[in-house]
Amino acid sequence: MNGMKRFVDATLGRVLRHFFFVCLRTYFGLFYNISISNKHLLQDMPGGLILATHVTRLDGPMVASMLYPTRRVLPAVHYNEYYHPAQFLVLAPSGCIPLSSPKSWPAEKRAERKEWAQDKLNDTIQSGKIVLLFPGGQAKRQAHEIILPHFSGAYETLRANPGCPVAILRIQGLSKYDKSIRDLFWSFIGIHKGRRHVNITIARLEDGLDTSLPLDAFNADLEERFNAPPHWPAA
């Protein structure tokens, strides 16, 4: 069964991923001017975890499609988004990993689902792939990234995979709280706002993150890294 899944993923799945890549890159290229700093750091990354700020629902598709020519990245997405009828046929072939579960489920069923999702994350990392995880859990609703003290996704994943390579990814320019910088891409048809500039920066953490800390202290350390002063490339 696993062999058949790998075969389908390497054939039909690969064709679909390339198709979605072309569609997404075209869309983002039309409406956003995106720059990515240090994506070359992922080329020799032997699997691992990218921890990213969460700005909007576009984050996962944008990052995955922009990095696809460099390295395939598998976003972890919320259960409701993964199984949404309008998104499932895109997210499933792309290898996205569904997290969380409906609050209406019984506690025992939710616990089983959480264990399944964590095993899926661990297996993906240990197979040499790169997982994109948003520790904040939801798109930010304030100027700064907030990771609630009880959110344990990044913490538990790193504790289960000691020595796992880690990278921090920050998205600037996409949120309504960021400075809006635009070009004149659409000015030829009378639209003067143009494309919005988005800056994605990647930094490898050579020493990783300290999982010997309590969960709340770990989240506070990660939150501080996310909220460091923004840096825009020189013009």
Side-chain angles (χ1 to χ4, degrees):
M1 188 66 175
N2 289 334
M4 178 60 69
K5 287 183 177 179
R6 286 194 294 268
F7 174 77
V8 173
D9 180 71
T11 52
L12 178 60
R14 186 175 183 181
V15 172
L16 287 174
R17 286 192 295 273
H18 278 68
F19 172 74
F20 296 143
F21 158 71
V22 172
C23 293
L24 289 172
R25 285 292 290 259
T26 301
Y27 170 79
F28 289 123
L30 288 174
F31 296 101
Y32 299 93
N33 188 340
I34 304 171
S35 64
I36 306 178
S37 301
N38 299 326
K39 65 180 180 179
H40 65 280
L41 297 176
L42 303 180
Q43 289 179 320
D44 60 351
M45 187 171 171
L49 189 63
I50 297 177
L51 301 177
T53 56
H54 202 356
V55 180
T56 73
R57 289 190 174 186
L58 293 176
D59 295 351
M62 176 179 284
V63 171
S65 61
M66 291 299 109
L67 294 179
Y68 188 72
T70 302
R71 188 74 183 269
R72 184 185 174 194
V73 172
L74 308 181
V77 300
H78 192 275
Y79 179 93
N80 291 336
E81 294 185 17
Y82 185 86
Y83 289 104
H84 192 285
Q87 299 181 153
F88 178 75
L89 293 178
V90 175
L91 299 183
S94 299
C96 294
I97 302 170
L99 303 182
S100 191
S101 58
K103 293 183 179 179
S104 59
W105 284 9
E108 181 178 342
K109 186 176 181 181
R110 295 198 72 190
E112 291 177 355
R113 181 70 187 192
K114 182 177 180 180
E115 183 178 354
W116 175 89
Q118 187 61 61
D119 289 342
K120 182 72 172 178
L121 287 173
N122 297 339
D123 291 344
T124 302
I125 291 172
Q126 291 165 13
S127 68
K129 298 182 176 67
I130 297 179
V131 172
L132 175 67
L133 186 65
F134 301 98
Q138 63 182 7
K140 66 181 181 180
R141 301 172 182 175
Q142 59 289 313
H144 293 87
E145 185 82 7
I146 293 179
I147 305 175
L148 296 179
H150 65 278
F151 280 10
S152 60
Y155 185 72
E156 292 179 359
T157 301
L158 290 175
R159 284 175 67 90
N161 299 277
C164 168
V166 181
I168 293 289
L169 185 146
R170 297 172 61 206
I171 303 171
Q172 291 139 14
L174 187 61
S175 166
K176 65 180 181 180
Y177 303 103
D178 294 330
K179 180 180 179 182
S180 179
I181 302 176
R182 298 177 181 270
D183 58 30
L184 299 178
F185 184 82
W186 291 108
S187 61
F188 68 97
I189 57 173
I191 300 176
H192 297 292
K193 274 193 170 183
R195 299 180 303 175
R196 184 163 182 170
H197 288 229
V198 177
N199 182 34
I200 299 174
T201 57
I202 301 170
R204 283 283 299 271
L205 299 183
E206 298 301 332
D207 297 328
L209 293 166
D210 188 0
T211 55
S212 67
L213 295 172
L215 173 59
D216 58 345
F218 174 90
N219 282 348
D221 174 46
L222 185 55
E223 185 178 297
E224 184 178 349
R225 295 173 187 266
F226 280 156
N227 291 318
H231 169 71
W232 289 85

